[in-house]
Amino acid sequence: MASMQTPIVASIFLVAMSFENAMKGLVLSTQKFNASRTPVPAIMIVANLLSMAFGPMYVWSILATKDCQDSSLAFKICMHLFFCTFSFFLLYKTWIVSQKRSVVAVGATLLMANRAVWAVLDCMWSHSIPTPLGCLYVQDRTAVIGISTGGILVDIFCTATTIISAFRDVDDDAPSKMHKIYRVLIADNVLRTLSIMAVNAFTLNYAMYSTLNLIPGTPSVMILIPAISNCKFVYTQAINIEFFWITVRNDIMKEPERDEIRLTS
């Protein structure tokens, strides 16, 4: 078994923290789905299940000394499924906020296709090789750049669309609750975008200027990146903070009016 270096120990700790958060998110999203039967909590159920599955898969891959390609591919598939589910969650909410405009649906579809293409290419181009010391993981640089850029584009698209919708769809005669809802939606998108863009920007910068190979017995920041940013810690927190925003929106719209957008699902 690979030696327990500091980055490995830190990664396992972060994965464990995220697993706990995903379990709580799974319980809350299941309860919400049972009460509302709406798409948003259903998407969150899938995302939290994938987050929980990613933890064991990733720990297996970083500790494996045999079945190298199988372990790395399993964690890659789980990670990218989570990525796509997270992006779909953001884009679906954005489409609803935009009053289901066709142009937003087209943009969201293209961004999801971009995510899916880079996920497939990453699984094809990155690989793990067995060595006498353990598994040598070779990460494709172009794939990481494409994945990180795709995530940044989704964040910018969602935030920009929400802000544009707030100015376009809410006029001075709209109910005050509508103004408050859009302010909450903008705050939600901006804060989430800042956190996700920060980790994507770090990953992008690291991919461009640092080595991406994981050499057995050699400590590397690369081990920490999937645990702290790309799937587990930040992304899991970002999707489950939705329950806080649901509470805020429900407090504003305790008595929803017919012409208001309902985003409490």
Side-chain angles (χ1 to χ4, degrees):
M1 181 175 291
S3 59
M4 296 293 284
Q5 305 153 357
T6 300
I8 294 177
V9 174
S11 295
I12 294 174
F13 176 74
L14 289 169
V15 163
M17 289 179 60
S18 300
F19 188 90
E20 179 186 14
N21 184 270
M23 286 184 65
K24 293 177 181 177
L26 178 62
V27 171
L28 291 173
S29 53
T30 300
Q31 292 174 345
K32 188 66 180 177
F33 178 75
N34 290 335
S36 64
R37 299 291 177 178
T38 50
V40 169
I43 299 169
M44 295 178 69
I45 289 173
V46 175
N48 280 298
L49 285 172
L50 288 170
S51 181
M52 292 170 63
F54 172 85
M57 294 296 100
Y58 186 58
V59 172
W60 175 34
S61 71
I62 61 178
L63 296 181
T65 56
K66 58 181 181 179
D67 299 325
C68 298
Q69 181 60 19
D70 291 342
S71 62
S72 66
L73 184 60
F75 115 76
K76 280 282 186 181
I77 291 173
C78 190
M79 181 181 72
H80 286 304
L81 286 174
F82 179 88
F83 274 157
C84 291
T85 303
F86 183 86
S87 294
F88 183 75
F89 167 77
L90 296 182
L91 293 168
Y92 177 81
K93 283 184 57 185
T94 301
W95 178 61
I96 297 297
V97 170
S98 72
Q99 307 282 18
K100 299 183 179 181
R101 287 188 170 86
S102 298
V103 65
V104 175
V106 171
T109 301
L110 292 175
L111 288 169
M112 282 300 303
N114 178 66
R115 275 296 219 182
V117 168
W118 283 114
V120 172
L121 292 177
D122 186 33
C123 292
M124 292 173 57
W125 293 346
S126 303
H127 55 280
S128 188
I129 305 169
T131 70
L133 296 178
C135 297
L136 169 62
Y137 178 71
V138 181
Q139 172 64 56
D140 183 81
R141 189 180 305 274
T142 303
V144 172
I145 293 173
I147 293 163
S148 301
T149 304
I152 291 172
L153 290 175
V154 169
D155 296 327
I156 293 174
F157 177 83
C158 292
T159 299
T161 301
T162 301
I163 293 173
I164 292 171
S165 296
F167 283 100
R168 177 180 295 178
D169 300 329
V170 182
D171 54 33
D172 294 336
D173 297 328
S176 60
K177 286 193 292 185
M178 180 68 82
H179 288 276
K180 292 179 181 178
I181 284 293
Y182 269 101
R183 283 198 292 268
V184 169
L185 291 171
I186 291 172
D188 175 11
N189 275 273
V190 169
L191 292 176
R192 184 183 282 116
T193 295
L194 289 175
S195 62
I196 299 302
M197 282 189 67
V199 296
N200 278 319
F202 171 79
T203 303
L204 183 60
N205 181 73
Y206 189 88
M208 293 177 66
Y209 301 108
S210 305
T211 179
L212 300 180
N213 297 345
L214 294 181
I215 302 172
T218 304
S220 174
V221 175
M222 184 65 184
I223 297 175
L224 282 168
I225 290 177
I228 197 171
S229 60
N230 284 358
C231 189
K232 288 298 293 178
F233 192 73
V234 174
Y235 273 77
T236 302
Q237 296 284 348
I239 197 167
N240 286 322
I241 198 67
E242 177 68 13
F243 292 109
F244 167 77
W245 296 113
I246 286 175
T247 302
V248 173
R249 293 194 296 263
N250 281 338
D251 288 343
I252 295 173
M253 298 185 70
K254 291 181 179 179
E255 297 180 358
E257 297 181 15
R258 186 177 61 182
D259 59 341
E260 291 180 338
I261 297 175
R262 183 175 182 270
L263 284 174
T264 58
S265 58

